[in-house]
Amino acid sequence: MGEFDLIDRYFKKPVHHADVGIGDDCALLSAVPGHQLAISTDMLVEGRHFLSTVNPEHLGHKSLAVNLSDLAACGARPKAFLLSLALPRVDTAWLEGFSKGLFRLAGQHECELIGGDTTQGPLNISITVLGDMPQGQALLRSGARAGDDLYVSGTLGDARLALEAFRGHISLPESVFRHARARMETPTPRVQLGMALRGVASAAADISDGLLGDLGHILKASGVGATIELSEAESLLGCSAIWPCPSELAHTCILSGGDDYELVFTAPSHARDQVQAASSRSQTAVTRIGTIRASAGIEVFDHQGQPLTRRFTSFDHFADA
Amino acid sequence: MGEFDLIDRYFKKPVHHADVGIGDDCALLSAVPGHQLAISTDMLVEGRHFLSTVNPEHLGHKSLAVNLSDLAACGARPKAFLLSLALPRVDTAWLEGFSKGLFRLAGQHECELIGGDTTQGPLNISITVLGDMPQGQALLRSGARAGDDLYVSGTLGDARLALEAFRGHISLPESVFRHARARMETPTPRVQLGMALRGVASAAADISDGLLGDLGHILKASGVGATIELSEAESLLGCSAIWPCPSELAHTCILSGGDDYELVFTAPSHARDQVQAASSRSQTAVTRIGTIRASAGIEVFDHQGQPLTRRFTSFDHFADA
């Protein structure tokens, strides 16, 4: 199968948002007056972002999900994406599965494939995603203010728990592993919550490298610090509902797990009702885990109100380099 | 050096077109009323799109050039790009050179870096480029009509000549090799010509896989065929000005060379003066090499007006797979 047959067979679909999709030198998208375009890109590499054993359908889902998660963090509505794919060989079973997982999630968010590139090479998946929102309504990292509440969406740490099991560092009961693995391989981008938080949240980021690391981006951009109450955060590990996770492991997974694709966000304390309304409207749980303060840094307080002294590091793709 | 230090040091620059550039979850770009956004993406892999020995400064140039060439083919004005980079290791000399070549070309076209991703992995460069044009003025592949003139910009085949020399299939005099290699490694995207051809050309594409292959895309999209006069096309090999290239090799390089990043375009015969004006305004040579006809396929006529029967194939990234 040649390059163009491959594109026609697995990736060419009719477009609705775009004026021109796959098949010309560029895709064309008309400007929506009064709107801003939000654009983000993520590259996934075997061994770094996914294991070689991953189900291709899950990989198709995850490749788009991690990009949609960036749109969610800005409160953007997804519109379109471009996919560049380096493949070691044309493997039709893999392409069937990958495109199925990809387009299922794309369809759920009415996000259409408008262009891309395919080539032979070590497996590499690079997606650029485009969304939009009314001018000036984007959620930025820089808007957190001292006194704001600190929230996260959904559950945290399960993807890291699965990774620890895959690496053989821990052993999990079958049902726990299944749950954790699903969170790692098929994360849910919080697109509806992000849109519902426009005009409510003061700052937001998505959690891809771990809560402390990504919260750190908000704090740096906003010039503030934060305190986290472990008593509030501890229940965030999804698996803890079905399995008594050792406390230290749970803390590591929740605070610096990575691959969560939940939102961490801040909002003024007078907006608690609005945050709850956004949570209900988007059918996405949110948990208040702490407070923004003026002084820099993050302090985590234990159940006794004592600051934890243990250091947590966030994920860095060049940490070994 | 960590991921974020690397981005800060080599890739973070102030933005002018964008509202928000690198450093948040998404870049933000305001819609320009009455305009269409043109978007394209290209992925470059070592061994497929460049040799491991390439000067990183040239590679930085080429990575963006091949993307700008897609904007040129649509007549779009470049605005911004996103860069995803998988690197085997953090090599500061390589990053210095790569970013220098990349930003020099970006600056020439006022095309700013607004986002991206970096990760460890086999060397892979994936760029998504955004440009715009007034609504409805994009050059498409589908507009060629029987009777239109057929043109190409600049020179063709020199990149292929260099590749044949690198592969050891031919031997070139030093000065010829230097010229051919420069065309292969630092192609010139025809952005100014593309913009000048708005409202003049009936169809356009950029030549990345070889003239016959990329002309084929126009013909298929337009439902027409073409004839090419070899007597007109033969002089297109840039190196032929300084070296008597064997005729059959010259024909192969010109007709199915690939990596040219010139434009192939069509225009009604009554627009010849306008095509020449666009050529002058953009300081880019154009050559009329044939005619669009109603019947499908491409026929190449030799100096005696006889059709060539030799088959030429265009470049396919999965041809070996």
Side-chain angles (χ1 to χ4, degrees), chain A residues 3 19 23-25 27 29-31 35-37 39-40 43 48-49 117 119-120 126 128 135 141 206, chain B residues 19 23-25 27-31 35-37 39-40 43 48-49 117 119-120 126 128 135 141 206 316:
Chain A
E3 184 179 355
D19 304 321
D24 215 298
D25 290 277
L29 209 57
S30 289
H35 277 60
Q36 266 173 316
L37 213 59
I39 312 156
S40 188
M43 178 177 265
R48 281 265 138 191
H49 304 90
D117 194 14
T119 185
Q120 196 177 45
S126 180
T128 299
Q135 186 82 31
R141 293 178 176 176
D206 83 319
Chain B
D19 305 322
D24 215 298
D25 290 278
L28 298 178
L29 208 57
S30 289
H35 277 60
Q36 266 173 317
L37 213 59
I39 312 155
S40 187
M43 179 176 265
R48 282 264 138 191
H49 303 89
D117 194 13
T119 186
Q120 195 177 46
S126 180
T128 299
Q135 185 82 29
R141 293 178 176 176
D206 83 319
D316 185 320

Side-chain angles (χ1 to χ4, degrees), chain A residues 61-79:
Chain A
H61 172 102
K62 184 167 179 174
S63 302
L64 184 60
V66 305
N67 278 280
L68 291 173
S69 183
D70 285 311
L71 291 184
C74 288
R77 177 184 297 280
K79 290 187 85 168

Side-chain angles (χ1 to χ4, degrees), chain B residues 190-232:
Chain B
R190 301 303 185 185
V191 171
Q192 298 303 322
L193 176 64
M195 288 194 284
L197 287 172
R198 290 180 197 156
V200 177
S202 50
D206 83 319
I207 305 177
S208 54
D209 295 339
L211 171 60
L212 295 185
D214 290 304
L215 171 58
H217 295 312
I218 291 181
L219 302 180
K220 192 178 165 197
S222 301
V224 293
T227 57
I228 294 176
E229 304 293 335
L230 206 50
S231 55
E232 303 298 334

Side-chain angles (χ1 to χ4, degrees), chain B:
Chain B
M1 198 185 321
E3 183 177 358
F4 299 107
D5 297 328
L6 186 159
I7 294 168
D8 281 351
R9 182 151 159 200
Y10 296 104
F11 297 111
K12 199 168 174 177
K13 308 259 175 191
V15 293
H16 305 284
H17 297 310
D19 305 322
V20 172
I22 289 177
D24 215 298
D25 290 278
C26 292
L28 298 178
L29 208 57
S30 289
V32 181
H35 277 60
Q36 266 173 317
L37 213 59
I39 312 155
S40 187
T41 191
D42 269 308
M43 179 176 265
L44 281 78
V45 172
E46 187 173 305
R48 282 264 138 191
H49 303 89
F50 57 91
L51 305 172
S52 60
T53 53
V54 70
N55 176 332
E57 204 172 321
H58 293 174
L59 183 58
H61 172 102
K62 184 166 180 174
S63 301
L64 184 59
V66 305
N67 277 280
L68 290 174
S69 182
D70 285 311
L71 290 185
C74 288
R77 176 184 298 280
K79 290 186 84 168
F81 69 106
L82 298 96
L83 166 70
S84 286
L85 202 51
L87 299 170
R89 73 201 71 81
V90 177
D91 174 342
T92 55
W94 189 93
L95 283 161
E96 293 273 3
F98 180 83
S99 59
K100 190 173 168 189
L102 180 84
F103 283 114
R104 189 191 296 122
L105 183 66
Q108 285 165 13
H109 294 282
E110 297 180 50
C111 188
E112 61 193 27
L113 183 62
I114 58 169
D117 194 13
T118 55
T119 186
Q120 195 177 46
L123 185 55
N124 184 303
I125 303 156
S126 180
I127 288 183
T128 299
V129 75
L130 297 105
D132 70 357
M133 74 277 284
Q135 185 82 29
Q137 291 198 17
L139 307 177
L140 300 179
R141 293 178 176 176
S142 53
R145 297 291 171 262
D148 281 358
D149 293 329
L150 175 64
Y151 296 87
V152 294
S153 66
T155 58
L156 291 183
D158 300 285
R160 173 65 178 271
L161 204 61
L163 185 64
E164 293 297 313
F166 268 115
R167 282 175 172 166
H169 296 172
I170 59 169
S171 154
L172 294 175
E174 171 62 24
S175 63
V176 177
F177 178 61
R178 208 164 44 232
H179 177 88
R181 182 179 185 169
R183 289 286 293 150
M184 180 173 87
E185 295 186 350
T186 53
T188 303
R190 301 303 185 185
V191 171
Q192 298 303 322
L193 176 64
M195 288 194 284
L197 287 172
R198 290 180 197 156
V200 177
S202 50
D206 83 319
I207 305 177
S208 54
D209 295 339
L211 171 60
L212 295 185
D214 290 304
L215 171 58
H217 295 312
I218 291 181
L219 302 180
K220 192 178 165 197
S222 301
V224 293
T227 57
I228 294 176
E229 304 293 335
L230 206 50
S231 55
E232 303 298 334
E234 206 161 44
S235 62
L236 288 172
L237 187 75
C239 289
S240 66
I242 51 172
W243 179 64
C245 183
S247 165
E248 193 166 331
L249 176 61
H251 296 168
T252 297
C253 289
I254 292 165
L255 295 173
S256 60
D259 247 8
D260 298 299
Y261 303 104
E262 296 292 349
L263 299 186
V264 51
F265 63 97
T266 61
S269 56
H270 63 72
R272 284 183 192 172
D273 288 350
Q274 290 170 271
V275 170
Q276 282 315 313
S279 165
S280 305
R281 204 155 68 245
S282 61
Q283 297 181 287
T284 309
V286 305
T287 306
R288 183 154 53 84
I289 59 163
T291 309
I292 300 299
R293 62 176 192 189
S295 56
I298 304 176
E299 257 186 322
V300 183
F301 291 97
D302 68 14
H303 291 251
Q304 282 72 45
Q306 297 299 309
L308 285 196
T309 50
R310 217 177 119 217
R311 277 182 55 80
F312 297 88
T313 55
S314 72
F315 198 78
D316 185 320
H317 283 293
F318 287 103
D320 311 332

Side-chain angles (χ1 to χ4, degrees), chain A residues 156-179:
Chain A
L156 291 182
D158 300 285
R160 173 67 177 270
L161 203 62
L163 185 63
E164 293 297 313
F166 268 117
R167 283 173 170 167
H169 296 172
I170 58 169
S171 152
L172 295 173
E174 170 64 24
S175 63
V176 178
F177 179 61
R178 206 163 45 232
H179 177 87

